[in-house]
Amino acid sequence: MSYKLTLIASSVVIALSPSLHAQEDVSIFDEVVVSGTRSEQSIKNVPSSVSKVSSEDIEQNLATDVKQALKYEPGVQVNGQGRFGMEDFTVRGMSGSRVKVMVDGVEQPSSYNPGAEVMRKNSNTIEVDTLTAIEVNKGPSSTLYGSDALGGTVLMRTKNPEDLLGAGDDTHVGLKTGYASASDEYKATVEVANRTGDLETMVIYTYRDGNETETHGDGADITGPDRGQADPYSIESHNVLAKAFYQINNEHRVGVTGEFFTRSANGKILSGEGRDGGMPGYIYTNVRGEDEDQRYRIGFEHEWLADLVVFDTLDWSVNWTESDADHNSFDHTQAKGNRNRFRSGKDESLQFDLQMQKMIELATSRHEFTYGVSAANDKFSLSYTDYNLDDGSSTPGSQEVPNSESEKRAVFVQDQMFFMDDQMVVTAGLRYDDFTATPDSSSGLEEHNSDALTSRLGAVYHWTNNLSTYAQYSEGFRSPTIHEMYYDKDNTMFGYRIEANPDLKPEESQSYEVGVRAANRFGNLELSAFYNDYKNFIKSQTTMDGSVEVTTNENIDKARIYGSEFKGNLWLDEAFSAPMGTYARLSLAYLDGEDKETGETLNTIAPFTTVVGLGYDAPSENWGSAVTVTMVASKSGSDWEAPEAGEEANVDAPSYTVVDLTAYYRPMNDLTLRAGLFNAFDEKYWQYQDLDGATASTEGIDRRTQPGRNWGVNLDYSF
């Protein structure tokens, strides 16, 4: 690890060299973000780590999905692969519903995974060609976004007409097409935007046609559970995003948004052929699937430049969203014959947000107040049916969770205070959230009520225009999910029973973070260290009732996670007289943590990761290229949780080094050709999260590998 620490030290020395203080006119990290304060703010005034991936970054890296868009971000992993695609995010060791996901400020439902191979409701309905940015607010951020922001928030922002248009009346038409060999995917995107007077409109349509992402070519191309290649699963998607904004007058602006995404997938599941179901007559053959995932969104928003005593601006919005997952899983067994296990899940949400801002100038300070309320009504439902295809009969499938409805209500206030001519920036926030969950009356289960008060206090001190330090204390919480509270299943004939527990308490977190940001004409950097404390973690407990295993969820766990992250850019032309336009990038992420009850490590802790990049952009801006090297340490032995008595240890996740090459050529201002060669040296590797729970006897380990050498090409034309 010594060489990695040396790289950090060298970068700090460069950034803090005397030349830094001679360059007072160079601002630091002036990139604008939203997720750090709920409003547009220069990142230099945000007292916490925020990673931002812009639409330009997404295009430069030829990303076809959110997982590829975030693959170089320190401390962030995107989980999920295979038939059901992207599942969730891991931010600094927290994953699943402990990381809140929002699109244009609208919260998205967390993935639903009951454990059965035939049912997943994943977060796989985001089209990256519609995004103008992805921001990751690392660490607890519940004072900003409420429940589920226990470990962080992923905020995706879609494009607005103004992102595509120039000044005055204007029309934009953009055409994009591309191919990615890793999924044999073709895509086509059409962008149309117009501004006529006070009316702005935009429509973006994207079509993708490909397959399940391939694994490394070294895996066995066979039929059966030991298959090492991806299944021949075809995937097709359509996404339409439409927006219209009208400037009524100087004070009022209204907008409407509509979005529709559909993902259709089908094919043979060769890895399921011959699988043993564990009971006589349950050897599976003729296994195939047909899936349909959809997401709808309709939203209305109003911006008011009021300049009143109580607020300067008022923004409110109402959004209706629905996401559906329908899965048909076909197979044949001797016990059941030919059948289709149909599994459907739906989330429906109506959300209201009201946010006001007020600027107050005092003799020695300036205050930017942000305050408001939010409310959401969510409905979750499952529909399971088992169809016997031989005689045409059907029976209800065994649902794990009853249909349920939940309500969230919140009030929040934040004061961003500027002192000493903006040299000191202090941010304080407070939020109260109330949560109610009500299962269907037929379930016989009780209603759940919980609430939480969370706070945040952070400060940034600008020593110069080019050197800042920051510190923050923040709190987070997560209300128990419908799944955790109401999973209720009696399978005593098979030796187990799962009991619901609606009395679960919210999980809580406390976070401490310090950092430094610096910049000069040679480059810039950010170095942060953090310590996160978690309590009331929800964990399943198993006891014996005679010969029956009884499992229920309890608030019994505590954990702590700590680490450090570094990211920086070095302008090689300035620092070493390299050709104009040459630069280097470096990011490092170190993470550690443990279960405070058992002393065991956490499986969600990512191994040490280093990303190094070297690039060149011609001064003419007509062409450029970059090489990016990702190095990830191994996760083995005691890096995984210790197995229970009689159980096997988790398999090792070997270390790996992956090299990616990208280039672009712009023969004219409106035409750009991009190409990329990824995993150039055909490294065989697994991401650690894909091996969580895998043991030496787990079948199909090679099917969890990432793609070998692959390539992509994109062509963008606008006029």
Side-chain angles (χ1 to χ4, degrees), residues 248-320:
I248 299 174
N249 51 39
N250 290 337
E251 291 79 31
H252 295 274
R253 183 174 186 253
V254 294
V256 62
T257 297
E259 186 171 18
F260 171 66
F261 180 99
T262 179
R263 176 184 186 269
S264 302
N266 66 85
K268 295 180 179 180
I269 306 176
L270 299 182
S271 58
E273 290 289 321
R275 182 173 64 86
D276 190 343
M279 294 181 291
Y282 277 88
I283 302 297
Y284 292 87
T285 59
N286 298 332
V287 185
R288 61 185 179 89
E290 294 180 1
D291 304 320
E292 187 81 21
D293 297 278
Q294 296 181 334
R295 178 171 62 93
Y296 310 84
R297 170 189 163 200
I298 298 175
F300 176 83
E301 59 189 275
H302 174 211
E303 302 172 15
W304 180 17
L305 301 179
D307 195 21
L308 299 177
V309 174
V310 292
F311 55 82
D312 297 324
T313 64
L314 182 150
D315 300 334
W316 67 272
S317 65
V318 59
N319 285 271
W320 172 82

Side-chain angles (χ1 to χ4, degrees), residues 113-345:
N113 180 356
E117 293 183 355
V118 295
M119 180 55 188
R120 299 284 191 279
K121 188 177 181 298
N122 281 0
S123 304
N124 57 7
T125 58
I126 302 296
E127 174 50 60
V128 292
D129 272 11
T130 65
L131 300 180
T132 187
I134 305 173
E135 295 181 20
V136 183
N137 193 334
K138 301 175 182 178
S141 47
S142 288
T143 56
L144 294 169
Y145 300 110
S147 179
D148 295 356
L150 182 85
T153 303
V154 178
L155 177 61
M156 305 182 207
R157 290 189 283 132
T158 60
K159 295 175 181 176
N160 287 328
E162 63 198 51
D163 298 315
L164 305 176
L165 298 170
D169 287 356
D170 189 26
T171 298
H172 164 88
V173 177
L175 304 174
K176 301 180 181 181
T177 186
Y179 173 77
S181 71
S183 55
D184 193 25
E185 177 186 283
Y186 295 89
K187 76 145 184 187
T189 294
V190 179
E191 298 175 339
V192 180
N194 176 265
R195 182 188 296 116
T196 302
D198 295 323
L199 178 65
E200 293 181 346
T201 56
M202 180 196 74
V203 176
I204 301 177
Y205 167 71
T206 301
Y207 169 73
R208 296 182 185 271
D209 185 9
N211 296 286
E212 182 178 314
T213 302
E214 67 181 24
T215 58
H216 192 273
D218 186 57
D221 189 5
I222 60 175
T223 297
D226 284 324
R227 179 177 175 81
Q229 294 296 298
D231 289 319
Y233 218 64
S234 299
I235 302 173
E236 180 181 277
S237 69
H238 301 263
N239 190 89
V240 179
L241 173 67
K243 294 187 178 184
F245 294 92
Y246 184 67
Q247 191 75 42
I248 299 174
N249 51 39
N250 290 337
E251 291 79 31
H252 295 274
R253 183 174 186 253
V254 294
V256 62
T257 297
E259 186 171 18
F260 171 66
F261 180 99
T262 179
R263 176 184 186 269
S264 302
N266 66 85
K268 295 180 179 180
I269 306 176
L270 299 182
S271 58
E273 290 289 321
R275 182 173 64 86
D276 190 343
M279 294 181 291
Y282 277 88
I283 302 297
Y284 292 87
T285 59
N286 298 332
V287 185
R288 61 185 179 89
E290 294 180 1
D291 304 320
E292 187 81 21
D293 297 278
Q294 296 181 334
R295 178 171 62 93
Y296 310 84
R297 170 189 163 200
I298 298 175
F300 176 83
E301 59 189 275
H302 174 211
E303 302 172 15
W304 180 17
L305 301 179
D307 195 21
L308 299 177
V309 174
V310 292
F311 55 82
D312 297 324
T313 64
L314 182 150
D315 300 334
W316 67 272
S317 65
V318 59
N319 285 271
W320 172 82
T321 63
E322 181 181 308
S323 60
D324 306 288
D326 296 333
H327 304 303
N328 293 279
S329 296
F330 301 91
D331 59 50
H332 176 271
T333 62
Q334 184 179 0
K336 294 290 186 178
N338 291 295
R339 63 173 177 172
N340 170 24
R341 286 176 288 173
F342 173 75
R343 303 291 183 260
S344 177

Side-chain angles (χ1 to χ4, degrees), residues 410-421:
V411 57
F412 60 88
V413 61
Q414 175 183 269
D415 183 9
Q416 192 166 29
M417 298 162 272
F418 296 81
F419 302 96
M420 304 165 59
D421 293 327

Side-chain angles (χ1 to χ4, degrees), residues 41-58:
Q41 183 65 253
S42 171
I43 197 171
K44 70 180 182 181
N45 291 327
V46 177
S48 62
S49 295
V50 178
S51 288
K52 179 180 178 180
V53 175
S54 67
S55 57
E56 291 79 10
D57 297 325
I58 293 172

